Each structure stands twice: as C-alpha cells, then as structure tokens.
Amino acid sequence: MCHSWSGIRDDLARSSTTLQSQRDYRAMRTAEPVLQPYVDTAALLSALHHGHLDHGARNAILAALVRASQGADRIADLALSVLLLALWPGLDAIRGRCLQRGVGSRDEIASELLARTTEQVRTLDLSRVNRIAATVLWNVERDLLRAARRETARQQSCAS
C-alpha cells in the first residue's frame, strides 16, 4: 500500500466531496429519508462524529449507508466511502491494537483492515444486526486476529 493511514482517510474524504459525489449523495438522500437533514457528506459525518445523535438515530444513518453501499452502482462506492469515514475512529483504534500486538506491518494491517471492513459492510445482513458500528468493528477485529493466529500457526508448523 503506497499511502499512509492518514493519507487513506484524506483520500476518502476528498473523494466524497467531488462534484460527482455531491450528485450521488443527493440521489442517496432521496432514496434514504434518514439522510434528508444532512445537506452533504461533511454535515453527515459531523453529525455522526460530533453531533448529539442518540444511538438509534446513529444506527439508522449507518443502516441507510449500509443499504446504499450494498448496491452495484456508483452510489454504493460513495456510501462505502462515507461509511468508512464514519467508522474511522473505530478502525483507527483497531489498527492501533493490531500494531501493538504485532499482527503485521503497518501497510498489511491497513490493507487487511480496509478489505475486511468493506467485505463486512457489503455482506452485512441488517435484519440480524442491532448495533451496526459495534458489529462491524468487532467482527473485523476478530477476523484480523484470527487470520494472524492462523498465519502464525501455519508458519510454526512449516518451520518444524
């Protein structure tokens, strides 16, 4: 991976503010009434990170982003980017814990973290989840740690 962790976040933020992304966000707002109060992605992320939303309202917004991200169009890519930005504080904490545990290199952890989060979001069954952010983040961290343990065990068995 050629970007730093903060560079990846900056690229996601930048890509969510292009003219095309603004058009796509307007279409997403039309399809998802819970997004109506937020004029753009910056306002939405500000409300999620710094607003005074209760857990139900946050979860409803995240559910709307998950639904949109599970499509097969350009709007799905925008929704995924916004969702990654919404989950960024949690992803950053997971990254820090993985670095402390020596799970992999900085680039490997960043790559795996984003790939597994994308997979979790795109396959999430909203009918089975009550707390979207917690579920996605816990599952991603669990999967990262399990994969690291499997790889360590494999390497140890190959060495012996």
PDB file of all heavy atoms in Angstrom, residues 59-74:
ATOM      1  N   ASN A  59     -27.600   4.684  14.422  1.00  0.00           N
ATOM      2  CA  ASN A  59     -27.757   3.364  13.812  1.00  0.00           C
ATOM      3  C   ASN A  59     -28.607   3.441  12.547  1.00  0.00           C
ATOM      4  O   ASN A  59     -28.331   2.757  11.558  1.00  0.00           O
ATOM      5  CB  ASN A  59     -28.364   2.384  14.817  1.00  0.00           C
ATOM      6  CG  ASN A  59     -27.912   0.980  14.583  1.00  0.00           C
ATOM      7  OD1 ASN A  59     -26.725   0.712  14.468  1.00  0.00           O
ATOM      8  ND2 ASN A  59     -28.869   0.080  14.493  1.00  0.00           N
ATOM      9  N   ALA A  60     -29.634   4.272  12.562  1.00  0.00           N
ATOM     10  CA  ALA A  60     -30.491   4.428  11.380  1.00  0.00           C
ATOM     11  C   ALA A  60     -29.698   5.010  10.212  1.00  0.00           C
ATOM     12  O   ALA A  60     -29.853   4.586   9.060  1.00  0.00           O
ATOM     13  CB  ALA A  60     -31.695   5.315  11.708  1.00  0.00           C
ATOM     14  N   ILE A  61     -28.836   5.973  10.501  1.00  0.00           N
ATOM     15  CA  ILE A  61     -27.997   6.567   9.456  1.00  0.00           C
ATOM     16  C   ILE A  61     -27.020   5.523   8.920  1.00  0.00           C
ATOM     17  O   ILE A  61     -26.855   5.378   7.702  1.00  0.00           O
ATOM     18  CB  ILE A  61     -27.236   7.799   9.992  1.00  0.00           C
ATOM     19  CG1 ILE A  61     -28.223   8.947  10.250  1.00  0.00           C
ATOM     20  CG2 ILE A  61     -26.145   8.241   9.025  1.00  0.00           C
ATOM     21  CD1 ILE A  61     -27.635  10.108  11.025  1.00  0.00           C
ATOM     22  N   LEU A  62     -26.388   4.782   9.812  1.00  0.00           N
ATOM     23  CA  LEU A  62     -25.444   3.751   9.379  1.00  0.00           C
ATOM     24  C   LEU A  62     -26.155   2.674   8.565  1.00  0.00           C
ATOM     25  O   LEU A  62     -25.620   2.188   7.570  1.00  0.00           O
ATOM     26  CB  LEU A  62     -24.719   3.143  10.582  1.00  0.00           C
ATOM     27  CG  LEU A  62     -23.787   4.094  11.336  1.00  0.00           C
ATOM     28  CD1 LEU A  62     -23.200   3.404  12.562  1.00  0.00           C
ATOM     29  CD2 LEU A  62     -22.694   4.635  10.443  1.00  0.00           C
ATOM     30  N   ALA A  63     -27.373   2.327   8.966  1.00  0.00           N
ATOM     31  CA  ALA A  63     -28.147   1.333   8.204  1.00  0.00           C
ATOM     32  C   ALA A  63     -28.435   1.840   6.794  1.00  0.00           C
ATOM     33  O   ALA A  63     -28.339   1.084   5.818  1.00  0.00           O
ATOM     34  CB  ALA A  63     -29.447   0.999   8.932  1.00  0.00           C
ATOM     35  N   ALA A  64     -28.760   3.123   6.668  1.00  0.00           N
ATOM     36  CA  ALA A  64     -29.007   3.705   5.348  1.00  0.00           C
ATOM     37  C   ALA A  64     -27.748   3.639   4.495  1.00  0.00           C
ATOM     38  O   ALA A  64     -27.806   3.308   3.297  1.00  0.00           O
ATOM     39  CB  ALA A  64     -29.480   5.152   5.490  1.00  0.00           C
ATOM     40  N   LEU A  65     -26.595   3.923   5.101  1.00  0.00           N
ATOM     41  CA  LEU A  65     -25.333   3.861   4.366  1.00  0.00           C
ATOM     42  C   LEU A  65     -24.997   2.421   3.971  1.00  0.00           C
ATOM     43  O   LEU A  65     -24.502   2.177   2.870  1.00  0.00           O
ATOM     44  CB  LEU A  65     -24.203   4.470   5.194  1.00  0.00           C
ATOM     45  CG  LEU A  65     -24.290   5.985   5.411  1.00  0.00           C
ATOM     46  CD1 LEU A  65     -23.249   6.443   6.415  1.00  0.00           C
ATOM     47  CD2 LEU A  65     -24.148   6.724   4.089  1.00  0.00           C
ATOM     48  N   VAL A  66     -25.275   1.474   4.852  1.00  0.00           N
ATOM     49  CA  VAL A  66     -25.024   0.064   4.525  1.00  0.00           C
ATOM     50  C   VAL A  66     -25.909  -0.354   3.357  1.00  0.00           C
ATOM     51  O   VAL A  66     -25.433  -0.974   2.395  1.00  0.00           O
ATOM     52  CB  VAL A  66     -25.253  -0.851   5.749  1.00  0.00           C
ATOM     53  CG1 VAL A  66     -25.284  -2.316   5.338  1.00  0.00           C
ATOM     54  CG2 VAL A  66     -24.178  -0.621   6.798  1.00  0.00           C
ATOM     55  N   ARG A  67     -27.197  -0.029   3.428  1.00  0.00           N
ATOM     56  CA  ARG A  67     -28.109  -0.385   2.326  1.00  0.00           C
ATOM     57  C   ARG A  67     -27.609   0.192   1.007  1.00  0.00           C
ATOM     58  O   ARG A  67     -27.564  -0.495  -0.011  1.00  0.00           O
ATOM     59  CB  ARG A  67     -29.526   0.120   2.608  1.00  0.00           C
ATOM     60  CG  ARG A  67     -30.347  -0.787   3.481  1.00  0.00           C
ATOM     61  CD  ARG A  67     -31.811  -0.367   3.516  1.00  0.00           C
ATOM     62  NE  ARG A  67     -32.004   0.975   4.054  1.00  0.00           N
ATOM     63  CZ  ARG A  67     -32.084   1.259   5.348  1.00  0.00           C
ATOM     64  NH1 ARG A  67     -31.997   0.300   6.248  1.00  0.00           N
ATOM     65  NH2 ARG A  67     -32.280   2.498   5.751  1.00  0.00           N
ATOM     66  N   ALA A  68     -27.225   1.452   1.035  1.00  0.00           N
ATOM     67  CA  ALA A  68     -26.744   2.105  -0.190  1.00  0.00           C
ATOM     68  C   ALA A  68     -25.440   1.472  -0.671  1.00  0.00           C
ATOM     69  O   ALA A  68     -25.218   1.335  -1.874  1.00  0.00           O
ATOM     70  CB  ALA A  68     -26.564   3.606   0.044  1.00  0.00           C
ATOM     71  N   SER A  69     -24.581   1.079   0.249  1.00  0.00           N
ATOM     72  CA  SER A  69     -23.283   0.512  -0.141  1.00  0.00           C
ATOM     73  C   SER A  69     -23.404  -0.896  -0.704  1.00  0.00           C
ATOM     74  O   SER A  69     -22.476  -1.390  -1.338  1.00  0.00           O
ATOM     75  CB  SER A  69     -22.317   0.500   1.051  1.00  0.00           C
ATOM     76  OG  SER A  69     -22.687  -0.488   1.975  1.00  0.00           O
ATOM     77  N   GLN A  70     -24.529  -1.544  -0.493  1.00  0.00           N
ATOM     78  CA  GLN A  70     -24.710  -2.900  -0.993  1.00  0.00           C
ATOM     79  C   GLN A  70     -25.265  -2.945  -2.413  1.00  0.00           C
ATOM     80  O   GLN A  70     -25.488  -4.016  -2.956  1.00  0.00           O
ATOM     81  CB  GLN A  70     -25.608  -3.698  -0.035  1.00  0.00           C
ATOM     82  CG  GLN A  70     -24.915  -3.962   1.283  1.00  0.00           C
ATOM     83  CD  GLN A  70     -25.775  -4.678   2.298  1.00  0.00           C
ATOM     84  OE1 GLN A  70     -26.996  -4.723   2.190  1.00  0.00           O
ATOM     85  NE2 GLN A  70     -25.140  -5.246   3.312  1.00  0.00           N
ATOM     86  N   GLY A  71     -25.428  -1.787  -3.015  1.00  0.00           N
ATOM     87  CA  GLY A  71     -25.870  -1.727  -4.408  1.00  0.00           C
ATOM     88  C   GLY A  71     -24.715  -2.020  -5.351  1.00  0.00           C
ATOM     89  O   GLY A  71     -23.590  -2.311  -4.928  1.00  0.00           O
ATOM     90  N   ALA A  72     -24.997  -1.941  -6.627  1.00  0.00           N
ATOM     91  CA  ALA A  72     -23.968  -2.224  -7.639  1.00  0.00           C
ATOM     92  C   ALA A  72     -23.755  -1.012  -8.538  1.00  0.00           C
ATOM     93  O   ALA A  72     -23.574  -1.151  -9.736  1.00  0.00           O
ATOM     94  CB  ALA A  72     -24.388  -3.432  -8.460  1.00  0.00           C
ATOM     95  N   ASP A  73     -23.775   0.156  -7.941  1.00  0.00           N
ATOM     96  CA  ASP A  73     -23.633   1.372  -8.739  1.00  0.00           C
ATOM     97  C   ASP A  73     -22.622   2.316  -8.096  1.00  0.00           C
ATOM     98  O   ASP A  73     -22.005   1.997  -7.085  1.00  0.00           O
ATOM     99  CB  ASP A  73     -24.992   2.057  -8.917  1.00  0.00           C
ATOM    100  CG  ASP A  73     -25.687   2.342  -7.587  1.00  0.00           C
ATOM    101  OD1 ASP A  73     -25.068   2.137  -6.521  1.00  0.00           O
ATOM    102  OD2 ASP A  73     -26.855   2.757  -7.605  1.00  0.00           O
ATOM    103  N   ARG A  74     -22.474   3.475  -8.683  1.00  0.00           N
ATOM    104  CA  ARG A  74     -21.526   4.479  -8.202  1.00  0.00           C
ATOM    105  C   ARG A  74     -21.920   4.976  -6.814  1.00  0.00           C
ATOM    106  O   ARG A  74     -21.062   5.281  -5.986  1.00  0.00           O
ATOM    107  CB  ARG A  74     -21.493   5.633  -9.198  1.00  0.00           C
ATOM    108  CG  ARG A  74     -20.238   6.425  -9.186  1.00  0.00           C
ATOM    109  CD  ARG A  74     -20.224   7.488 -10.267  1.00  0.00           C
ATOM    110  NE  ARG A  74     -21.438   8.269 -10.296  1.00  0.00           N
ATOM    111  CZ  ARG A  74     -22.231   8.381 -11.370  1.00  0.00           C
ATOM    112  NH1 ARG A  74     -21.922   7.796 -12.495  1.00  0.00           N
ATOM    113  NH2 ARG A  74     -23.320   9.105 -11.331  1.00  0.00           N
TER     114      ARG A  74
END
